[in-house]
Amino acid sequence: MAGVWVLAENHRQTLELLNIGRVLASKLGTRLAAFLLHDREMAQEYIEYGADDILLLPSLPEDQSLDAYIPVIAEEAQKQEPDIFLVAATLRGKEIAARIASRLNTGLCSECISLTLDESGKNLEMERLMFGGAAAQKVTCRTRPQMATVPPRTFEPAVKQSGREGQIKELPVPPASALRVLEKKARAHEASDIREARVVVCAGRGIEKQEDMALVRELAEAVGGEIACTRPISEELHWLPENLCIGLSGINVKPDLYIGVGVSGQIQHVTGIRDAKVICAINNDENAPIFEAADYGIVGDLYEVVPKLIKELKGEK
Amino acid sequence: MPRIVVCFKWVIDEAYIRTGASQELDLENVDYKLSDYDRNAIEEAVRLKEEYGGSLVGITVGVPEATKGIKDALSRGPEKAYFINDASFDNLEPSQTATILADVVSSQIEYDLIICGEGSSDLYAQQVGPRLAEKLGIPCISYVQKLGIENGEIIAERKMEEGVEVVAAPMPALVTVVPDINSPRVPGLKDTLMASKKPVISITKDQLSQTYEPCLQTAGILAASMERNCVKFGGELEGIAGFVESLLKEGVIS
Ligand SMILES: Cc1cc2nc3c(=O)[nH]c(=O)nc-3n(C[C@H](O)[C@H](O)[C@H](O)COP(=O)(O)OP(=O)(O)OC[C@H]3O[C@@H](n4cnc5c(N)ncnc54)[C@H](O)[C@@H]3O)c2cc1C
């Protein structure tokens, strides 16, 4: 038995997984199957994006969540015995991947950032971060399927090839999950996507009051950048939405310029700015770890430094 | 009244990790800590017990030397701890940790609610909670930012990408919590003294119903390198001018 399977709860990530899935399936000389959540119309499209088989999951009653599919997906996996099973690392995706792996008694590489076949061409070598991003761990999976969750944007979306053919298989309606969704509240304000921003100014816990965020915003304007934050600012203080939190449990950015204001530079945060071209920091503690991760730093009180810096940048001396 | 079990892990404090020669990790002088988000898990368990009554026990899997972690966890509120330990339990992968926990929980502990942190500070694989729920055959609610019990059911707010999802599940259930669910109290001297008097039930490998082999194998660990200029300026006007000058030279501002 063989096959490469991909599962993502949204369109873009399905395409990203189809891309790497196609590469692996071709090397292994096997079929690529993609799960599709109830939207039958998309089946032909996913086939053109590289899938050989579509595993169509029926729609769920409104009070059911993605987890309801777990028994159906696990059962199908037991029947078909795929060799590789990739799941997009959304929050729900990470949970259901772990639970499916548990049912299948197999290993799962969480937040896998690199996937290659070893010399034998049979086993995946997978890489992930550990210790908050201080180290990269390479793992292999002794059991089958070899499972991994893959963060968004790890791979480019697949490219469409019209005329491809494939098969659609409808999976059975799952029994109702004991978990019931009572309510869904959309995020109040959708923050802009800063993953492609050219300049990012990041607010850290060194900012004392919410009003003072205005200072960070002003600096962002002066350098033509977007505003972002560390986890305490979004999670504990809720001064900015979570999709502006940079780091291990947030987003990765790759700007030309990153400026951290009152950011200590713990590894879980620094991991998210590794690909920045130039890293700058303003911190009053000269031993703050951020200075070891920065190209240019200013040691000083942000409340004195930032206003002066804004003036300097604007050429008002 | 809920019988609550909270899972915790004693981990290497990543702040002490240094990079040795040729990108090896230098774990020579590391210290250990209670995994960050397990503190939120314990705090939430304590809070629920204060609100709804019931009982609270802690459970961990680790090496016999992890006793300091047991004491740390107990000082935060649980009445007793289950300590599944063996010298070989130092680098367990998530499938092993979860199955070992499931082995002991299902055979020795009566429970209504299990609380885990969303992920551990060292591996952050975010698997143990969901895997454990699956092995026990109970509902799993992950990434919870608000937790309560109503009419014998768990009511939880999950934090998802697109917003908040409010869900209900019958007990027994397992919940994993995100750090903004609470601010963990810092244990005082009295709590620490009391912790040493609380019972610790030690469970050894031969008391488990079977052995658990790893599914994942670590082929190597390398320090992530970060080479930067590390130039520091002062906060006075000349320093700031020098800083701006550097950014202009880099061509990242104009
Ligand atoms: C599993 C896990 C995942 C995590 N994921 C993330 C993540 O994705 N993103 C993230 O950001 N964090 C994450 N964290 C948290 C991370 O470890 C740090 O706690 C966090 O990044 C610290 O944020 P901070 O720098 O804003 O705050 P602090 O560490 O409190 O630093 C504040 C800094 O401001 C400086 N300061 C104070 N006052 C002034 C002043 N007046 N002028 C100048 N400087 C001043 C201080 O010297 C200090 O260095 C994670 C942690 C764990 C355990």
Side-chain angles (χ1 to χ4, degrees):
Chain A
M1 284 290 123
V4 176
W5 283 14
V6 301
L7 165 65
E9 47 173 324
N10 62 45
H11 181 65
R12 173 167 171 125
Q13 282 162 45
T14 303
L15 298 192
E16 292 171 3
L17 294 186
L18 279 173
N19 189 7
I20 177 69
R22 185 71 258 157
V23 173
L24 295 171
S26 301
K27 282 197 186 144
L28 291 166
T30 184
R31 293 175 76 86
L32 172 62
F35 283 91
L36 174 56
L37 307 185
H38 52 78
D39 186 9
R40 202 184 177 103
E41 315 233 301
M42 286 303 297
Q44 184 51 37
E45 179 141 348
Y46 283 171
I47 290 169
E48 291 182 355
Y49 277 108
D52 300 307
D53 297 295
I54 299 296
L55 299 169
L56 185 65
L57 291 162
S59 64
L60 291 174
E62 206 158 296
D63 71 346
Q64 294 283 295
S65 183
L66 207 62
D67 75 301
Y69 291 126
I70 291 171
V72 170
I73 296 171
E75 216 165 286
E76 192 63 20
Q78 273 151 358
K79 264 189 239 158
Q80 295 201 29
E81 299 181 356
D83 197 32
I84 294 174
F85 189 179
L86 308 179
V87 180
T90 55
L91 296 165
R92 288 189 189 85
K94 288 190 279 189
E95 182 203 299
I96 72 161
R99 292 172 62 184
I100 293 168
S102 174
R103 286 205 179 206
L104 301 177
N105 293 316
T106 194
L108 168 68
C109 172
S110 297
E111 312 247 10
C112 174
I113 49 173
S114 144
L115 281 164
T116 45
L117 287 168
D118 71 0
E119 280 165 16
S120 75
K122 290 198 186 106
N123 304 308
L124 277 181
E125 286 185 335
M126 302 177 274
E127 251 179 67
R128 63 182 308 272
L129 298 176
M130 65 188 289
F131 294 132
Q137 177 190 25
K138 193 181 264 180
V139 296
T140 55
C141 185
R142 301 165 58 212
T143 43
R144 292 294 183 272
Q146 307 169 79
M147 289 186 71
T149 56
V150 180
R153 289 160 191 264
T154 303
F155 300 100
E156 293 292 315
V159 178
K160 198 167 180 163
Q161 288 171 272
S162 40
R164 283 195 89 248
E165 280 173 26
Q167 286 170 4
I168 303 173
K169 173 167 186 186
E170 277 181 44
L171 297 180
V173 177
S177 161
L179 191 83
R180 298 185 331 275
V181 179
L182 305 179
E183 194 188 346
K184 285 184 178 179
K185 304 181 208 165
R187 223 178 271 291
H189 44 115
E190 208 48 53
S192 53
D193 188 348
I194 55 157
R195 285 174 293 195
E196 306 294 332
R198 205 186 56 73
V199 177
V200 169
V201 178
C202 180
R205 196 70 190 85
I207 314 284
E208 278 164 28
K209 299 187 295 294
Q210 186 165 14
E211 301 94 271
D212 304 339
M213 292 292 287
L215 194 60
V216 184
R217 272 181 215 286
E218 218 182 310
L219 176 60
E221 262 164 50
V223 287
E226 303 282 344
I227 192 162
C229 64
T230 59
R231 198 168 196 193
I233 298 287
S234 57
E235 296 269 336
E236 285 162 31
L237 301 166
H238 304 284
W239 291 350
L240 286 177
E242 283 107 27
N243 53 347
L244 293 183
C245 165
I246 297 177
L248 188 66
S249 45
I251 56 166
N252 291 338
V253 293
K254 42 176 186 198
D256 289 342
L257 174 62
Y258 162 100
I259 307 179
V261 181
V263 172
S264 61
Q266 298 304 321
I267 186 68
Q268 294 91 351
H269 177 71
V270 168
T271 292
I273 58 173
R274 221 173 268 282
D275 294 330
K277 188 170 156 218
V278 175
I279 295 178
C280 298
I282 300 166
N283 196 307
N284 61 2
D285 172 8
E286 68 167 318
N287 297 318
I290 190 74
F291 289 123
E292 281 168 46
D295 296 295
Y296 305 102
I298 301 177
V299 183
D301 183 342
L302 72 93
Y303 288 94
E304 288 166 25
V305 170
V306 175
K308 284 188 216 161
L309 177 58
I310 293 170
K311 271 194 190 154
E312 178 77 24
L313 286 163
K314 288 183 175 165
E316 308 161 11
K317 284 177 202 172
Chain B
M1 287 197 287
R3 293 161 297 180
I4 306 175
V5 179
V6 64
C7 304
F8 60 90
K9 186 176 185 185
W10 187 238
V11 298
I12 286 181
D13 186 339
E14 69 283 350
Y16 291 89
I17 297 175
R18 297 282 166 271
T19 306
S22 68
Q23 269 191 281
E24 301 293 330
L25 282 191
D26 177 2
L27 302 178
E28 192 81 349
N29 296 308
V30 291
D31 210 341
Y32 289 75
K33 65 175 179 181
L34 195 60
S35 182
D36 296 49
Y37 301 156
D38 294 349
R39 296 175 212 188
N40 298 89
I42 296 173
E43 178 68 32
E44 196 58 16
V46 170
R47 195 193 64 73
L48 289 177
K49 188 183 151 187
E50 283 168 1
E51 194 174 337
Y52 303 99
S55 60
L56 170 59
V57 301
I59 185 165
T60 189
V61 185
V63 290
E65 293 75 38
T67 45
K68 223 171 132 195
I70 310 275
K71 222 170 143 186
D72 186 325
L74 286 175
S75 74
R76 294 164 191 268
E79 295 138 24
K80 62 175 177 184
Y82 291 82
F83 182 22
I84 317 165
N85 62 89
D86 189 85
S88 67
F89 289 170
D90 59 343
N91 280 314
L92 296 176
E93 65 107 354
S95 75
Q96 293 172 290
T97 308
T99 41
I100 292 170
L101 286 170
D103 190 321
V104 172
V105 170
S106 59
S107 63
Q108 305 205 17
I109 307 178
E110 291 191 46
Y111 64 93
D112 301 296
L113 176 63
I114 301 176
I115 307 182
C116 300
E118 56 146 309
S120 63
S121 306
D122 54 352
L123 291 180
Y124 201 51
Q126 301 173 301
Q127 291 184 31
V128 169
R131 276 183 182 267
L132 174 58
E134 209 58 29
K135 282 284 172 254
L136 297 172
I138 61 174
C140 171
I141 316 177
S142 54
Y143 306 104
V144 169
Q145 59 170 7
K146 200 166 168 218
L147 188 56
I149 302 172
E150 272 174 40
N151 306 322
E153 270 199 326
I154 301 290
I155 306 289
E157 285 190 7
R158 306 178 70 193
K159 195 161 72 182
M160 300 282 102
E161 283 89 353
E162 74 288 348
V164 172
E165 188 173 88
V166 187
V167 300
M171 293 196 274
L174 184 145
V175 160
T176 78
V177 300
V178 293
D180 57 334
I181 194 163
N182 56 41
S183 309
R185 278 165 269 193
V186 178
L189 188 61
K190 207 171 129 236
D191 304 309
T192 311
L193 289 174
M194 265 175 42
S196 357
K197 301 202 179 86
K198 292 181 179 175
V200 177
I201 300 150
S202 172
I203 298 161
T204 51
K205 199 176 175 181
D206 52 358
Q207 290 170 279
L208 300 175
S209 67
Q210 63 171 93
T211 54
Y212 298 98
E213 296 302 319
C215 298
L216 286 188
Q217 260 175 340
T218 300
I221 297 175
L222 281 183
S225 64
M226 189 97 172
E227 304 241 319
R228 294 286 170 176
N229 295 342
C230 304
V231 178
K232 282 189 226 171
F233 296 94
E236 70 299 323
L237 282 177
E238 303 85 83
I240 289 171
F243 175 82
V244 171
E245 180 84 2
S246 306
L247 297 193
L248 285 167
K249 264 201 205 126
E250 292 275 359
V252 289
I253 57 171
S254 48

